[in-house]
Amino acid sequence: DIQMTQSPSSVSASVGDRVTITCRASQGINNWLAWYQQKPGKAPKLLIYVASSLQSGVPSRFSGSGSGTDFTLTISSLQPEDFATYYCQQANSFPLTFGQGTRLEIK
Amino acid sequence: EVQLLESGGGLVQPGGSLRLSCAASGFTFVGYAMSWVRQAPGKGLEWVSGIRSSDGSTHYADSVKGRFTISRDNSENTLYLQMNSLRAEDTAVYYCAKETISGSWYGMDVWGQGTTVTVSS
């Protein structure tokens, strides 16, 4: 199975900050990576797929990059509604696997 | 409106069975791969199982292989998860989710509200 490791596990930031979250795969997954945002008590929301494609309706302050084993999710200017937990997920091979999550908190 | 609505969760004793259902509406169900994803209390997301429509191929997490069975009824626009030999560690909110692009696995863009499964004596 492909293990997905996110860093950091949690991060504190302020509105307006630029934040980067990293996801590393235990083996190469080409660009078969998705990013999700989840708020407490809610279902996850797809932000990015195939590493850098922005899902329809997602604000352009969210961007994704990377290929192979190393990927990043960047939020260019944090907004109050962005404080949530973020997950990466590989779609290269089965079983599909998620990272452990990164909690983004208000500083 | 594109929507997924899960049902069938509840309290079950260890070793018992449950069948979850996910009713889809607002999109061409037959064209999309579908998954079940679960989240144990206070924990992260765990992909459980997926099924592709074009060839009916199914896939499972190692933790549920041999105990859970995913299926779909394209005529009823419904996804199922038959869960047997349930264990305490299967306790979670179970979500059904739709792939964002027709035909394959890219990322899940539509999620249900979740249904809670509790395995306890």
Side-chain angles (χ1 to χ4, degrees):
Chain A
D1 298 3
I2 298 175
Q3 309 303 316
M4 307 300 293
T5 304
Q6 291 181 228
S7 60
S9 294
S10 66
V11 57
S12 295
S14 301
V15 172
D17 284 354
R18 179 184 181 92
V19 170
T20 297
I21 298 169
T22 297
C23 179
R24 175 164 288 176
S26 60
Q27 63 190 78
I29 60 169
N30 296 299
N31 63 343
W32 298 110
L33 187 97
W35 289 98
Y36 300 86
Q37 175 194 71
Q38 188 181 32
K39 296 182 179 179
K42 300 294 187 182
K45 174 186 176 181
L46 178 66
L47 301 174
I48 301 283
Y49 60 98
V50 293
S52 60
S53 292
L54 192 68
Q55 174 67 10
S56 175
V58 174
S60 58
R61 63 181 180 272
F62 291 91
S63 63
S65 65
S67 184
T69 60
D70 294 313
F71 301 86
T72 59
L73 173 70
T74 299
I75 310 172
S76 59
S77 178
L78 275 173
Q79 299 302 300
E81 61 268 28
D82 299 337
F83 292 95
T85 299
Y86 292 83
Y87 294 92
C88 62
Q89 175 237 318
Q90 64 84 15
N92 181 76
S93 62
F94 292 101
L96 307 184
T97 46
F98 288 90
Q100 82 280 12
T102 294
R103 186 173 178 180
L104 176 53
E105 300 174 317
I106 301 173
K107 185 182 287 185
Chain B
E1 180 190 5
V2 178
Q3 195 170 10
L4 298 171
L5 186 61
E6 302 100 335
S7 60
L11 174 64
V12 62
Q13 292 187 339
S17 298
L18 276 179
R19 189 174 85 151
L20 306 184
S21 300
C22 171
S25 60
F27 67 99
T28 306
F29 181 71
V30 67
Y32 291 87
M34 301 290 295
S35 287
W36 289 97
V37 177
R38 68 184 180 184
Q39 188 167 35
K43 302 298 185 183
L45 300 171
E46 180 186 17
W47 179 84
V48 172
S49 183
I51 183 168
R52 190 151 62 181
S53 185
S54 57
D55 59 5
S57 57
T58 59
H59 308 275
Y60 298 92
D62 294 342
S63 58
V64 307
K65 200 172 293 183
R67 300 188 299 124
F68 289 12
T69 302
I70 191 171
S71 62
R72 63 191 295 161
D73 184 338
N74 290 332
S75 67
E76 294 290 334
N77 292 341
T78 303
L79 178 73
Y80 299 100
L81 185 68
Q82 177 66 44
M83 304 187 295
N84 299 330
S85 303
L86 282 161
R87 307 166 179 166
E89 54 265 36
D90 295 318
T91 294
V93 174
Y94 284 73
Y95 296 100
C96 66
K98 162 192 167 291
E99 284 293 321
T100 189
I101 294 178
S102 177
S104 195
W105 311 91
Y106 292 86
M108 293 166 270
D109 67 336
V110 180
W111 296 65
Q113 84 290 351
T115 188
T116 300
V117 173
T118 303
V119 184
S120 175
S121 55

